[in-house]
Amino acid sequence: MSHATGFSCIRCGTAFPVDLQIDSRGCPNCVAVAPANLKVVYNRQKPSPYDETQQTKLPSLWRYADMLPCTPGEAISLGEGLTPLLPATVIGSALGVPNLLIKDEGRNPTWSHKDRFSTVAVSLARLAGARVVATASSGNAGASLAAYAARAGLRCVVVTFAGTAGAMLAQIKKYGAEIVPLADKSQRWPLLAAGVERFGWFATSPFQAPVVGSHPLGIEGYKTLAYEIFEQMNGSMPDWCVLPVCYGDALAGLFEGFTDLLDQGKIDRVPRLAAAEIHGSLSEALASKTDMITEAPAAFETLAVSIGTTRSTFQALRALRLSGGTAVRVGNRGLIALQQQLAASEGIFAELASVTPLAAIETLRRQGAIVASDRVVAIITASGLKDLDRSTIPDGRQTVFETAEEAWKHLLKDEGYCSARYETV
């Protein structure tokens, strides 16, 4: 690792050497009290990633390489990052937040934010001499890791479970990864652990319980979300950033990125962060003021499978607490309608898990936590093409028109399609 000099615990601050073998338990001192992930430590004065000479170097997130654990020359890249930050005034006004911006991570090479993680993790895996990278994944992480492994010439194993979205499985297969589906979801981690211990696999995802988060090297890639938001907002900050949260890797990285900017004097505050979650483990931990995240009951089967964990992590809780943020439970009701509304009004087709921030914003606005004048960034983490088998429910009643005249009669029922030019057709 060209830039990193070690790791430290995000909870107790204990330092660890740079050659530490990451086993996904996190800090050994905290594991019995409140399991906590590690973060990368750098020994140099961090330069600003926004110096003009840096900004124009590379058309990817590796333009921020001085803030990451390896150099651009060591990087495995597919041109990830630099995703657009788009005003979404129509749906924003409908949600009561006219100053809504969408960070569309579906524009990444494998159509999800996971590419920010994979580009760093696979780069470091290759530098470490790994021959196989592996992950337990419901879809996006597996697809992303498979693509970057292919780019790096490494083999990839994706351990998954029944119910994973078909489109993502197809994507993983096309990248040449080995897919291992398990009927018992809990068996994914022992399989990964055996691969790490017996064959030296570089596992990027958790493989121990309780989960502390993914590999800390990969999480560094998510810091670039904050750098880009700062740059795209011309040096100002939103009041809120809202994103879907499972184990909180992107949330933790986003917070660290904003903290970097604060430490550099580039900003005077970190935006409040909000987690759109499903079953409520973060909400409960925030309410109880504990560091130990407990299992939340799974009261329903969520459409947002990729964030459907019943137990989140301390790294997510820490980011919410230190930013003055919050967590919002999101159910299935209205998700498909929000997905369609976002696509139809803003031209952004998002995965079902990725529209949970909009549902969370609606709740926070109704509660008065977000006010109408707030500038809010919703991070849309993946493309809607990822889970079409869940978001599109065939009804078997599609109308097929025999003639153009019949089709026009149908269209003319809606005045929005009836300009004077076509009324006589």
Side-chain angles (χ1 to χ4, degrees):
M1 291 186 289
S2 301
H3 296 159
T5 59
F7 300 91
S8 68
C9 174
I10 63 170
R11 183 172 179 268
C12 71
T14 300
F16 299 94
V18 71
D19 59 355
L20 177 73
Q21 294 299 307
I22 303 294
D23 66 3
S24 96
R25 292 179 306 157
C27 175
N29 299 329
C30 291
V31 66
V33 183
N37 208 351
L38 307 178
K39 69 175 182 177
V40 179
V41 174
Y42 302 87
N43 72 346
R44 37 104 176 122
Q45 181 68 34
K46 294 180 181 178
S48 167
Y50 303 106
D51 180 84
E52 289 184 4
T53 60
Q54 296 291 322
Q55 286 186 19
T56 56
K57 278 187 176 180
L58 289 170
S60 75
L61 63 75
W62 289 98
R63 72 199 291 175
Y64 308 119
D66 284 343
M67 309 299 288
L68 299 173
C70 67
T71 67
E74 297 165 326
I76 304 300
S77 177
L78 289 167
E80 56 291 317
L82 308 186
T83 57
L85 184 66
L86 303 168
T89 54
V90 176
I91 196 168
S93 296
L95 297 175
V97 188
N99 297 317
L100 177 65
L101 296 165
I102 301 290
K103 182 70 168 162
D104 185 5
E105 288 291 283
R107 307 289 189 91
N108 278 299
T110 75
W111 317 311
S112 90
H113 70 308
K114 298 290 187 180
D115 293 345
R116 294 181 187 270
F117 177 97
S118 294
T119 185
V120 179
V122 172
S123 298
L124 272 298
R126 191 175 71 160
L127 283 173
R131 295 183 178 181
V132 178
V133 291
T135 185
S137 171
S138 60
N140 282 325
S144 180
L145 190 68
Y148 283 83
R151 184 74 170 176
L154 305 179
R155 303 197 72 175
C156 179
V157 176
V158 178
V159 188
T160 188
F161 55 89
T164 297
M168 285 186 268
L169 285 178
Q171 190 180 10
I172 294 167
K173 288 178 183 177
K174 294 294 184 183
Y175 291 132
E178 182 71 26
I179 299 175
V180 184
L182 292 171
D184 182 352
K185 192 176 179 179
S186 67
Q187 292 304 301
R188 296 179 302 160
W189 293 344
L191 191 152
L192 278 183
V196 171
E197 293 162 10
R198 295 175 60 187
F199 304 114
W201 292 358
F202 189 103
T204 60
S205 73
F207 55 90
Q208 307 274 1
V211 173
V212 298
S214 296
H215 201 296
L217 289 170
I219 290 174
E220 289 291 283
Y222 290 128
K223 297 192 306 183
T224 61
L225 277 166
Y227 307 155
E228 289 178 24
I229 290 169
F230 171 82
E231 184 179 320
Q232 290 166 326
M233 294 188 70
N234 298 314
S236 64
M237 279 289 98
D239 297 292
W240 289 85
C241 283
V242 189
L243 65 163
V245 171
C246 182
Y247 296 131
D249 295 334
L251 179 66
L254 179 69
F255 175 75
E256 291 299 329
F258 283 130
T259 301
D260 284 346
L261 296 172
L262 189 68
D263 291 345
Q264 294 166 8
K266 297 293 181 182
I267 58 176
D268 58 7
R269 61 177 177 82
V270 171
R272 298 179 73 180
L273 304 180
E277 63 172 346
I278 302 302
H279 298 297
S281 63
L282 289 171
S283 301
E284 292 299 323
L286 286 168
S288 62
K289 297 181 169 55
T290 179
D291 285 355
M292 173 65 82
I293 312 293
T294 57
E295 203 86 20
F300 64 99
E301 186 175 340
T302 180
L303 289 171
V305 174
S306 61
I307 60 168
T309 185
T310 55
R311 183 176 186 171
S312 191
T313 62
F314 176 76
Q315 66 177 7
L317 180 65
R318 173 178 177 266
L320 297 179
R321 278 183 178 159
L322 294 180
S323 70
T326 190
V328 181
R329 293 183 178 95
V330 176
N332 286 336
R333 186 176 179 181
L335 274 190
I336 291 177
L338 273 173
Q339 182 192 52
Q340 184 169 336
Q341 186 179 3
L342 177 65
S345 65
E346 308 295 347
I348 299 169
F349 184 30
E351 181 190 31
L352 286 171
S354 295
V355 299
T356 58
L358 302 180
I361 289 166
E362 188 173 34
T363 297
L364 292 170
R365 180 72 184 92
R366 187 172 61 250
Q367 293 172 346
I370 291 177
V371 299
S373 60
D374 281 345
R375 292 178 300 173
V376 181
V377 171
I379 297 176
I380 300 300
T381 49
S383 164
L385 294 174
K386 294 284 195 154
D387 59 358
L388 279 173
D389 48 348
R390 292 195 187 93
S391 64
T392 305
I393 304 172
D395 62 12
R397 296 189 301 273
Q398 184 180 26
T399 301
V400 177
F401 301 104
E402 296 293 335
T403 66
E405 184 179 359
E406 286 183 11
W408 275 116
K409 286 179 180 178
H410 171 74
L411 289 170
L412 292 173
K413 292 176 183 177
D414 187 331
E415 292 183 0
Y417 296 110
C418 305
S419 71
R421 181 178 174 185
Y422 294 115
E423 282 178 352
T424 59
V425 173

